[in-house]
């Protein structure tokens, strides 16, 4: 689409970066639909999308495990690795996608003109319902509370997202995940999350029965994730024109 260059993309401009990855586990297909919803919304002509493009830079790696996806694997790569346990020391030979993404993230982290503010890794969950997040635990209570802001805002925007299912942990088994490793690497103004979405259904507040997920519902969650950055950065006043509810966003 022929967008004019935003001020945040001009040479030397300071950039706030949101880095999103998906499909590190090849069998978790809902993560691709959520990621597709984010991408479709961000490149659309929606007035919220325009404001987000003007103020933030989104870096998206929609498929971290293309070999595993091609082979029809559930969790591992072509070489048999669970890539989401190798972020600490990825090999350019055995884990090339992780190695490349990690190098890019570290380059951005070391660039004084770039503020890497969010890392979100999208997954699907086989036993839980709804969308929810995992975050990290910090000794700094203020940082821990600030980390809860984004999922709380997302809960207000997405009817299928559950803040009550969102949890913050430092389980040793998860030490090699993107969320855990980058949460320990990046500075205290960066927030790293795993975004999970159910393989099968969600329950709306007060409802007795579950609603089956569809591809469209997954993509709608992705659109609502993107929409939430408008609230997080308090950019609502910059949106041009009235925002009547549409099927695209809540």
């Amino acid at each position: 689409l022929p967008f004019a260059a935003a001020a945040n993309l001009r040479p030397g401009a300071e950039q706030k970066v949101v880095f999103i990855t998906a499909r590190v586990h090849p069998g978790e297909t809902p993560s691709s639909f959520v990621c597709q919803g984010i991408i479709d919304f961000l490149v659309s002509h929606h007035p919220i999308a325009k404001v987000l493009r003007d103020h933030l830079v989104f870096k998206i790696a929609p498929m971290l495990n293309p070999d595993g996806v091609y082979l029809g694997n559930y969790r591992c790569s072509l070489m048999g690795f669970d890539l989401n346990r190798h972020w600490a020391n990825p090999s350019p030979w055995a884990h090339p996608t992780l190695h490349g993404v990690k190098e890019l993230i570290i380059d951005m982290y070391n660039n004084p003109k770039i503020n890497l503010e969010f890392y979100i890794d999208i997954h699907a969950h086989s036993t839980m319902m709804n969308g929810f997040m995992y975050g990290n635990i910090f000794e700094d209570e203020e940082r821990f509370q600030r980390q809860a802001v984004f999922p709380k805002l997302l809960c207000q925007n997405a009817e299928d997202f559950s803040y009550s299912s969102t949890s913050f942990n430092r389980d040793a088994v998860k030490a090699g995940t993107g969320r855990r490793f980058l949460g320990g690497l990046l500075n205290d103004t960066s927030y790293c999350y795993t975004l999970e979405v159910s393989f099968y259904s969600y329950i709306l507040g007060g409802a007795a029965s579950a609603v089956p997920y569809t591809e469209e519902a997954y993509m709608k969650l992705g659109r609502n994730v993107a929409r939430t950055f408008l609230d997080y950065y308090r950019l609502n006043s910059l949106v041009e024109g009235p925002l009547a509810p549409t099927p695209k966003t809540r």
Side-chain angles (χ1 to χ4, degrees):
L1 295 175
F3 297 121
N8 62 345
L9 296 181
R10 290 174 188 147
E14 191 166 323
Q15 297 180 350
K16 292 180 178 179
V17 173
V18 175
F19 206 108
I20 297 171
T21 56
R23 211 71 185 275
V24 71
H25 290 143
E28 296 176 7
T29 49
S31 68
S32 282
F33 292 114
V34 174
C35 191
Q36 188 69 49
I38 294 173
I39 295 170
D40 287 349
F41 182 79
L42 290 175
V43 301
S44 74
H45 289 287
H46 195 287
I48 291 176
K50 181 182 184 303
V51 170
L52 292 176
R53 291 193 301 267
D54 287 344
H55 288 82
L56 301 168
V57 174
F58 289 86
K59 301 280 189 181
I60 302 176
M63 190 172 285
L64 286 180
N65 196 341
D67 300 346
V69 169
Y70 179 78
L71 291 169
N73 292 349
Y74 178 69
R75 194 169 178 90
C76 65
S77 67
L78 168 67
M79 312 231 1
F81 292 108
D82 179 345
L83 296 183
N84 206 34
R85 295 297 182 271
H86 290 275
W87 277 91
N89 190 29
S91 158
W93 176 74
H95 328 105
T97 53
L98 242 59
H99 183 267
V101 168
K102 181 181 172 182
E103 282 203 328
L104 175 57
I105 288 175
I106 291 175
D107 285 347
M108 289 192 296
Y109 176 63
N110 291 329
N111 186 334
K113 286 289 187 180
I114 294 178
N115 295 320
L116 182 51
E117 305 210 332
F118 280 89
Y119 171 75
I120 299 176
D121 188 29
I122 309 174
H123 288 250
H125 206 285
S126 59
T127 59
M128 299 275 284
M129 287 196 283
N130 292 65
F132 59 96
M133 279 179 152
Y134 292 123
N136 294 310
I137 289 179
F138 304 107
E139 304 303 330
D140 180 350
E141 180 64 22
E142 183 187 355
R143 185 183 183 191
F144 182 73
Q145 294 296 335
R146 289 200 310 268
Q147 181 190 214
V149 171
F150 187 86
K152 285 180 178 177
L153 291 173
L154 178 55
C155 190
Q156 294 174 13
N157 287 328
E159 60 186 2
D160 58 320
F161 183 85
S162 170
Y163 184 76
S164 61
S165 294
T166 292
S167 63
F168 305 91
N169 62 62
R170 51 179 164 203
D171 183 348
V173 175
K174 303 288 183 70
T177 65
R179 183 257 308 180
R180 282 289 312 280
F181 175 75
L182 294 172
L185 171 72
L186 304 177
N187 61 34
D188 62 4
T189 61
S190 302
Y191 300 103
C192 300
Y193 306 92
T194 300
L195 171 61
E196 297 271 4
V197 65
S198 173
F199 266 103
Y200 53 99
S201 62
Y202 57 95
I203 290 184
L204 301 178
S209 58
V211 180
Y213 264 115
T214 62
E215 293 175 9
E216 172 57 30
Y218 288 130
M219 290 190 280
K220 182 178 180 181
L221 177 60
R223 293 192 292 267
N224 283 323
V225 169
R227 161 73 176 78
T228 300
F229 288 104
L230 187 84
D231 299 326
Y232 182 85
Y233 287 102
R234 300 178 181 177
L235 299 171
N236 304 68
S237 63
L238 300 177
V239 178
E240 295 178 2
L243 283 183
T246 71
K248 296 288 185 184
T249 58
R250 291 186 67 244

